[in-house]
Amino acid sequence: MGKKYNFDEVVDRNHTSCLKYDFAMKRKGRKDLLPLWVADMDFKLPQEILEDFHKRVDHGIFGYTDPDEEYFEALNRWFGIHHGYTVDPETVTLGCGVVYGLATGVKAFTDAGDAVLIQQPVYYPFREVIEDNGRTFINNQLKYENGKYTVDFEDFEKKITDNHVKVFILCNPHNPVGRVWTKEELEKMGDICLNHGVVIMDDEIHCDFIFPGHTFTSFMAMDEKYRENLVLYTSPSKTFNVAGLQPANVIIPNAELRAKYRHANAASGYSQGSVMGQVAVKAVYTKGDAWVEELVEYIYENVKYFGEFIEKNFPQAHFVDPDGTYLTWVDFSGYGFSDEELEHLMVEEAHLWLDSGKVFGQETAQFERFNLACPRATVEEALKRLKQAFDAHKKWND
């Protein structure tokens, strides 16, 4: 059966105030960088979704907007079909992005100085929203053994008890290591948190990018006991690349936690969500199924191609084979670069703009994160540049 959508199309995003492409000189000091850093896809939305956007724009008025019945029907349609749960509209609070919601949750469920646990290497704003709000960052470092990441459950519980942790911020699927946590792993983490009264703030923003052989499990689809301390963060911003419209939904089944979150949300001055963000939620969650199915297949092929190229051409590197997400994680520690040398090679020699592993924790300073949600031609060009830069240093490839 033929494909309906063309993900090979290269769209020129320059001069669109695009963070990914237009700010290389300001942020990295060069204009000639190929960006595979920020988690932002290079694919256009399909026409059937854009039609709903055009219809709303053509109306011409963009005043204050609240989510209506159609909004929650769209949410429940998507999560019911794809992830096995539905939500009571009363449990949903809109946000202006998941990171905003995480920061609001930290303020809602902890006091100054309280301990919040994360699992590095992890999406770096997790640590920022902890420390920027005067809370204590606690790390349950993921175990990296035989090229695979797992949870150190003994350390997980010890860190919680020793530090009187109040909140655990979970990333599922995990960015950047690509783990899609199994139901058994989630149960172990969930039970420990329940036993010690720890609130689980669960970021599931990458939940639609799951590769063959793996199954995504949401805490909302598990035993209802976990809902007592669950704060679930969802958004179509990654799946449909609508982060600029800032849609996010914070689902809190526990009424007491929900009241605390909404108080902190109100204290920040946030009320009505973005009108186009709400249009996006309704459009993508009702019309996006076929597009996402082909999108994930395309990205999976990119991931396989990328991994095979790394394995063949970079003998001292290790490609961490992901269970999901469109982000890939490569360990270059085998080459013996200093952190500064690795950064210089990527930027000044390969002319690539990546996310250095250092921002995910000092332990992974020799890793690089690559965003493969782009046309195959972009992946090929990035690998070509990378190989040329390494080949110029033959002593590191011997």
Side-chain angles (χ1 to χ4, degrees):
M1 185 176 178
K3 301 294 185 182
K4 180 178 179 181
Y5 305 103
N6 178 19
F7 295 103
D8 284 324
E9 179 186 3
V10 177
V11 180
D12 184 1
R13 299 184 64 187
N14 291 293
H15 311 299
T16 61
S17 300
C18 172
L19 179 63
K20 186 175 183 179
Y21 282 87
D22 286 336
F23 292 85
M25 177 58 75
K26 182 175 182 180
R27 293 200 173 207
K28 304 296 283 188
R30 298 188 69 107
K31 288 184 176 180
D32 58 351
L33 301 179
L34 184 64
L36 283 81
W37 65 290
V38 66
D40 178 334
M41 300 195 296
D42 288 337
F43 306 121
K44 280 185 179 180
L45 281 172
Q47 193 59 37
E48 57 265 31
I49 289 174
L50 293 177
E51 285 173 358
D52 285 10
F53 285 40
H54 289 303
K55 181 178 179 181
R56 189 65 184 83
V57 169
D58 289 343
H59 181 261
I61 300 176
F62 307 96
Y64 295 119
T65 307
D66 265 343
D68 53 17
E69 184 176 342
E70 185 181 350
Y71 182 94
F72 294 109
E73 287 175 353
L75 278 184
N76 281 325
R77 178 196 175 277
W78 186 265
F79 291 107
I81 291 173
H82 297 283
H83 301 300
Y85 70 88
T86 56
V87 297
D88 179 350
E90 289 299 316
T91 67
V92 180
T93 304
L94 266 63
C96 55
V98 165
V99 174
Y100 164 85
L102 292 171
T104 303
V106 166
K107 289 182 282 189
F109 309 126
T110 65
D111 296 317
D114 282 347
V116 179
L117 181 115
I118 62 176
Q119 295 170 314
Q120 289 187 323
V122 74
Y123 182 49
Y124 44 91
F126 281 19
R127 181 169 182 170
E128 292 171 352
V129 301
I130 296 167
E131 295 183 327
D132 289 349
N133 283 296
R135 274 59 171 175
T136 303
F137 149 71
I138 304 296
N139 181 30
N140 166 231
Q141 186 77 18
L142 295 178
K143 291 193 293 186
Y144 178 55
E145 298 174 335
N146 301 316
K148 188 76 171 178
Y149 281 93
T150 57
V151 176
D152 184 339
F153 290 103
E154 182 178 346
D155 180 72
F156 182 80
E157 186 162 23
K158 188 175 189 300
K159 290 286 177 62
I160 286 174
T161 57
D162 287 355
N163 298 282
H164 305 290
V165 165
K166 297 294 181 64
V167 166
F168 164 45
I169 307 180
L170 171 68
C171 196
N172 184 33
H174 192 283
N175 166 17
V177 310
R179 278 301 315 279
V180 176
W181 303 116
T182 66
K183 183 180 179 182
E184 290 72 25
E185 288 170 317
L186 294 171
E187 286 173 339
K188 286 183 181 180
M189 289 186 279
D191 288 339
I192 291 169
C193 289
L194 276 176
N195 290 339
H196 296 287
V198 176
V199 174
I200 301 172
M201 289 173 27
D202 179 12
D203 174 2
E204 296 185 357
I205 199 169
H206 291 278
C207 66
D208 294 310
F209 299 96
I210 310 300
F211 299 148
H214 302 282
T215 301
F216 172 76
T217 302
S218 171
F219 259 118
M220 278 292 293
M222 292 169 58
D223 192 304
E224 287 194 9
K225 68 180 181 181
Y226 298 115
R227 298 187 185 190
E228 285 305 302
N229 64 337
L230 178 66
V231 180
L232 180 65
Y233 294 88
T234 73
S235 173
S237 61
K238 298 305 176 197
T239 308
F240 296 94
N241 211 49
V242 290
L245 302 178
Q246 299 189 320
N249 295 288
V250 185
I251 303 167
I252 312 177
N254 182 299
E256 182 179 349
L257 292 179
R258 187 164 65 247
K260 288 182 178 180
Y261 182 88
R262 287 180 175 172
H263 177 77
N265 192 48
S268 72
Y270 186 79
S271 54
Q272 278 73 29
S274 153
V275 56
M276 292 307 296
Q278 292 176 62
V279 169
V281 166
K282 290 191 280 190
V284 301
Y285 282 158
T286 55
K287 297 183 175 182
D289 305 69
W291 187 78
V292 169
E293 182 177 355
E294 288 192 19
L295 167 72
V296 175
E297 290 176 1
Y298 187 90
I299 290 172
Y300 180 57
E301 292 300 320
N302 273 355
V303 169
K304 289 195 296 182
Y305 174 83
F306 182 91
E308 290 166 2
F309 190 98
I310 293 293
E311 183 178 354
K312 179 180 179 181
N313 294 280
F314 299 88
Q316 274 84 18
H318 177 74
F319 170 73
V320 179
D321 195 14
D323 306 338
T325 83
Y326 55 71
L327 305 165
T328 54
W329 191 233
V330 182
D331 178 3
F332 290 99
S333 62
Y335 284 96
F337 298 117
S338 69
D339 298 350
E340 293 74 19
E341 286 171 337
L342 184 60
E343 175 71 5
H344 184 276
L345 187 147
M346 295 300 174
V347 176
E348 303 298 334
E349 299 177 56
H351 300 166
L352 294 175
W353 187 0
L354 309 174
D355 265 341
S356 165
K358 185 180 292 188
V359 300
F360 300 93
Q362 184 57 44
E363 295 87 348
T364 51
Q366 289 289 311
F367 287 67
E368 299 284 344
R369 190 186 77 169
F370 294 77
N371 173 358
L372 302 186
C374 52
R376 175 62 64 83
T378 304
V379 177
E380 292 172 349
E381 175 62 23
L383 289 170
K384 175 184 174 183
R385 294 184 183 197
L386 193 65
K387 187 175 187 304
Q388 287 175 342
F390 273 76
D391 285 350
H393 301 279
K394 282 294 184 182
K395 66 175 181 177
W396 285 319
N397 261 342
D398 292 340

